[in-house]
């Protein structure tokens, strides 16, 4: 069974209809936020039941019956709490920050619910002593990934390591830090979606934001009740006049973008351990929105598998599928009501008030992610709509919205022919994800990471993504492409040039490690009526 890790966790509780009405618009969970409250209600009834998610931080949330700090507050109830890989001791390691992050994910408070109020949360505190570092943080993450009989779907990281604590000399964000390698390894081996709080501030917590396989989350602030602007304190690019002082220290080396997705993180009302309400800001509270959204999608997937729904397999549990679905359904540019912009409900702008159409990610096929916005703003309802049609193989015509998890061999391509012609000037969103290959140098052969062991970076195979006009195979015209040479995400968001039949092509361009590469693909298009 594989898992999904997300860094920064979020919780949701069941709502009565009057409460729903009062928070529907303005809260981070309402229609101006990630629009998740609808999913808690009929006909969806998605609250994360029986889905295990994880949390790793310096401290941990209090647990009723174990810690005095929460003796008067049962709104947040983790299934189990740990100090690294051991059961937590009563009244030790309890941390308000970890409690607030847990509240985003699993709060059952009627007025202030979490994103997935019925999810099963496992939380580990790394601890604060000076000799705690990336090896202990990796152990803690691994321990959480192995909970619930090895079935944890997502893990939230609302913390990180400063570069000045990394033991490497002249450490930079090159993907080689032990914790970064650990997360890329665990994503694949434990099949977990990791949601990682994006770096913010000068110095900040950059490790492990240089990962490849997780989802890094920046945070948005609301304007007139709608979360639609990247918050000013997100640290988000090499070209902001910072000079050489921070380049290579606060940003990924080689030009690779670090942000995958944006989620609400400004003035989020959250419960403290004593039951009092506090408004908090930061990417720490954006990441759990993503983690807990995975729990809702996975509850739906398990429901579909249970009733043996056609086009549903256990591939729905794959972390790459979740990443593709979440990134592809993200919102960029508000739809004008004709559906041509895929029904998006908001226009997201960056810190300089630029929208997606001004982004180099829109203009340059070699850049899949915007440096501040990733692929756009999380919308849980849209993620559900992206996931709903199920899995479709390249051997058959595919519907206008769908996803697949598959493999491809070196120097070959796979094609997905869309069953209906696409409408001229409508937008197409397509996202391709695959893993960087990181392996454990497992000295004692116990198939687990131990403190004295290291990881080996086997590199990244290069895949490319195309939207191709399919009407005339003899003179194929590429309508849009995403052809980054440095990322393990390809993302297309482009207008259809002419009404015609189209196909999506995944191409294995360059082999760096294994000759067969697993990948996930999600697409959202607008057909001719």
């Amino acid at each position: 069974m594989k898992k999904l890790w997300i860094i920064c966790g979020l919780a949701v509780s069941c709502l009565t209809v009057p409460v729903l009405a009062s928070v529907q618009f303005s809260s981070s969970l309402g229609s101006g936020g990630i629009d998740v409250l609808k999913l808690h209600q009929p006909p969806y009834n998605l609250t994360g039941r029986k889905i295990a998610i994880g949390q790793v931080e310096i401290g941990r949330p209090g647990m009723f019956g174990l810690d005095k700090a929460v003796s008067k507050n049962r709104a947040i109830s983790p299934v189990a709490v740990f100090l690294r890989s051991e059961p937590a001791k009563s009244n030790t390691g309890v941390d308000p920050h970890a409690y607030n992050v847990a509240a985003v994910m699993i709060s059952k408070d009627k007025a202030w619910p979490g994103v997935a109020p019925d999810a099963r949360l496992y939380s580990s505190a790394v601890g604060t002593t000076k000799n705690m570092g990336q090896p202990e943080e990796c152990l803690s993450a691994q321990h959480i990934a192995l909970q619930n009989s090895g079935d944890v779907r997502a893990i939230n990281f609302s913390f990180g390591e400063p570069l000045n604590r990394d033991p490497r000399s002249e450490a930079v964000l090159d993907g080689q830090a032990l914790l970064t390698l650990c997360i890329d390894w665990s994503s694949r081996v434990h099949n977990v979606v990791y949601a990682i709080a994006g770096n913010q501030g000068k110095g900040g917590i950059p490790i492990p934001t240089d990962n490849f396989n997780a989802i890094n989350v920046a945070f948005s602030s609301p304007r007139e009740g709608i979360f639609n602007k990247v918050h000013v304190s997100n640290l988000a690019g090499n070209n902001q006049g910072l000079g050489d002082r921070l380049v290579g220290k606060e940003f990924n080396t080689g030009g690779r973008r670090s942000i995958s997705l944006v989620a609400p993180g400004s003035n989020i009302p959250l419960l403290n351990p004593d039951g009092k309400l506090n408004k908090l800001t930061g990417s720490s509270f954006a990441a759990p929105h993503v983690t807990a959204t995975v729990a809702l999608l996975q509850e739906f997937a398990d429901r579909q598998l249970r009733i043996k729904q056609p086009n549903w397999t256990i591939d729905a549990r794959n972390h790459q599928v979740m990443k593709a679905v979440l990134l592809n359904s993200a919102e960029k540019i508000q739809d004008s009501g004709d559906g041509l912009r895929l029904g998006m409900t908001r226009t997201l702008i960056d810190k300089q008030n630029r929208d997606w159409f001004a982004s180099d990610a829109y203009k340059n096929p070699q850049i899949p992610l915007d440096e501040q916005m990733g692929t756009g703003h999380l919308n849980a309802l849209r993620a559900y709509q992206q996931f709903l049609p199920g899995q479709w193989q390249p051997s058959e015509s595919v519907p206008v919205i769908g996803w697949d998890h598959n493999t491809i061999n070196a120097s070959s391509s796979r094609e997905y022919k869309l069953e209906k012609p696409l409408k001229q000037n409508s937008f197409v969103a397509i996202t391709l994800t695959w893993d960087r290959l990181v392996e454990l140098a497992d000295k004692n052969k116990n198939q687990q990471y131990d403190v004295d062991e290291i990881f080996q970076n086997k590199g990244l195979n290069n895949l490319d993504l195309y939207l191709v006009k399919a009407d005339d195979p003899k003179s194929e015209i590429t309508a849009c492409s995403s052809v980054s040479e440095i990322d393990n995400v390809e993302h297309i968001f482009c207008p259809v040039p002419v009404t015609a039949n189209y196909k999506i092509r995944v191409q294995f361009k360059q082999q760096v490690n294994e000759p067969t590469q697993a990948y996930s693909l999600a697409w959202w298009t607008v057909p001719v009526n």
Side-chain angles (χ1 to χ4, degrees), residues 210-223:
D210 55 338
N211 71 78
F212 284 74
N213 300 346
I215 296 175
N216 287 345
V217 188
F219 73 103
S220 61
S221 54
R223 299 184 307 165

Side-chain angles (χ1 to χ4, degrees), residues 12-17 19-20 23 37 40-41 109-113:
V12 172
S13 93
C14 301
L15 289 177
T16 61
V17 173
V19 173
L20 177 65
V23 297
L37 295 175
H40 295 169
Q41 304 296 310
D109 187 87
K110 288 285 197 294
W112 307 104

Side-chain angles (χ1 to χ4, degrees), residues 290-301:
V290 178
T291 305
T293 295
V294 170
L296 303 186
L297 297 177
Q298 288 298 301
E299 180 187 4
F300 177 70

Side-chain angles (χ1 to χ4, degrees), residues 319-394:
H319 66 284
Q320 294 173 11
V321 169
M322 283 291 94
K323 186 175 180 180
V325 163
L326 289 166
L327 269 57
N328 203 60
S329 59
E331 297 193 285
K332 298 176 179 66
I333 300 287
Q334 185 171 3
D335 193 279
S336 58
D338 54 15
L340 296 182
R341 292 174 179 173
L342 311 180
M344 294 180 182
T345 67
R346 86 196 79 198
T347 295
L348 182 66
I349 57 173
D350 69 10
K351 298 196 299 186
Q352 288 76 32
N353 297 315
R354 299 172 301 204
D355 67 17
W356 186 265
F357 291 147
S359 167
D360 55 5
Y362 178 65
K363 299 169 183 174
N364 186 344
Q366 291 190 316
I367 302 176
L369 302 172
D370 180 83
E371 63 183 359
Q372 297 185 38
M373 299 185 285
T375 65
H377 199 284
L378 174 67
N379 183 307
L381 181 62
R382 286 178 58 80
Y384 167 84
Q385 292 165 342
Q386 173 74 71
F387 200 34
L388 176 65
Q391 180 178 15
W392 295 83
Q393 304 277 341

Side-chain angles (χ1 to χ4, degrees), residues 129-434:
T129 57
K130 286 184 179 178
N131 56 1
M132 290 301 122
Q134 294 181 50
E136 290 77 19
E137 290 158 3
C138 179
L139 272 184
S140 301
Q142 173 180 254
H143 184 69
I144 292 299
L146 295 173
Q147 296 306 303
N148 199 49
S149 302
D151 184 14
V152 174
R153 309 292 171 91
I155 294 175
N156 195 84
F157 260 61
S158 284
F159 86 106
E161 274 288 301
L163 277 162
N164 61 18
R165 275 178 43 109
D166 190 281
R168 299 172 297 160
S169 62
E170 301 295 314
V172 292
L173 293 181
D174 56 3
Q176 301 299 324
L178 187 139
L179 182 59
T180 300
L181 292 165
C182 172
I183 279 177
D184 281 355
W185 167 78
S186 177
S187 296
R188 178 180 62 85
V189 170
H190 300 126
N191 193 23
V192 170
V193 175
Y194 278 88
I196 312 285
N199 188 15
Q200 65 185 74
K202 294 178 175 63
I205 49 170
I207 299 169
T209 61
D210 55 338
N211 71 78
F212 284 74
N213 300 346
I215 296 175
N216 287 345
V217 188
F219 73 103
S220 61
S221 54
R223 299 184 307 165
E224 299 179 354
I226 300 174
F227 286 86
N228 61 5
K229 182 177 171 70
V230 176
H231 193 278
V232 66
S233 65
N234 288 275
L235 193 62
N238 285 340
N239 58 0
Q240 295 180 359
L242 297 170
D244 294 331
R245 182 169 55 87
L246 292 176
V247 171
K249 292 196 166 86
E250 294 297 337
F251 306 105
N252 286 341
T253 58
R256 191 170 61 91
R257 302 287 167 81
S258 68
I259 297 300
S260 311
L261 204 57
V262 179
S266 177
N267 283 320
I268 307 297
L270 294 168
L271 291 171
N272 281 342
D274 61 6
K276 293 179 181 176
L277 201 65
N278 199 9
K279 287 194 172 181
L280 297 162
T281 293
S283 58
S284 282
F285 311 107
H289 282 83
V290 178
T291 305
T293 295
V294 170
L296 303 186
L297 297 177
Q298 288 298 301
E299 180 187 4
F300 177 70
D302 283 3
R303 188 185 296 171
Q304 298 294 84
L305 292 169
R306 202 159 45 242
I307 63 174
K308 295 182 168 56
Q309 188 75 8
N311 296 100
W312 284 85
T313 72
I314 58 168
D315 286 340
R317 294 174 177 169
N318 188 278
H319 66 284
Q320 294 173 11
V321 169
M322 283 291 94
K323 186 175 180 180
V325 163
L326 289 166
L327 269 57
N328 203 60
S329 59
E331 297 193 285
K332 298 176 179 66
I333 300 287
Q334 185 171 3
D335 193 279
S336 58
D338 54 15
L340 296 182
R341 292 174 179 173
L342 311 180
M344 294 180 182
T345 67
R346 86 196 79 198
T347 295
L348 182 66
I349 57 173
D350 69 10
K351 298 196 299 186
Q352 288 76 32
N353 297 315
R354 299 172 301 204
D355 67 17
W356 186 265
F357 291 147
S359 167
D360 55 5
Y362 178 65
K363 299 169 183 174
N364 186 344
Q366 291 190 316
I367 302 176
L369 302 172
D370 180 83
E371 63 183 359
Q372 297 185 38
M373 299 185 285
T375 65
H377 199 284
L378 174 67
N379 183 307
L381 181 62
R382 286 178 58 80
Y384 167 84
Q385 292 165 342
Q386 173 74 71
F387 200 34
L388 176 65
Q391 180 178 15
W392 295 83
Q393 304 277 341
S395 56
E396 55 192 330
S397 293
V398 301
V400 293
I401 302 175
W403 55 268
D404 187 28
H405 180 67
N406 222 307
T407 59
I408 186 170
N409 295 323
S411 303
S412 70
S413 61
R414 284 190 176 273
E415 294 185 342
Y416 297 74
K417 189 175 188 306
L418 292 156
E419 63 184 5
K420 294 181 180 178
L422 302 186
K423 186 183 291 187
Q424 183 177 12
N425 296 326
S426 69
F427 275 78
V428 171
I430 316 170
T431 303
L432 174 69
T433 63
W434 67 102

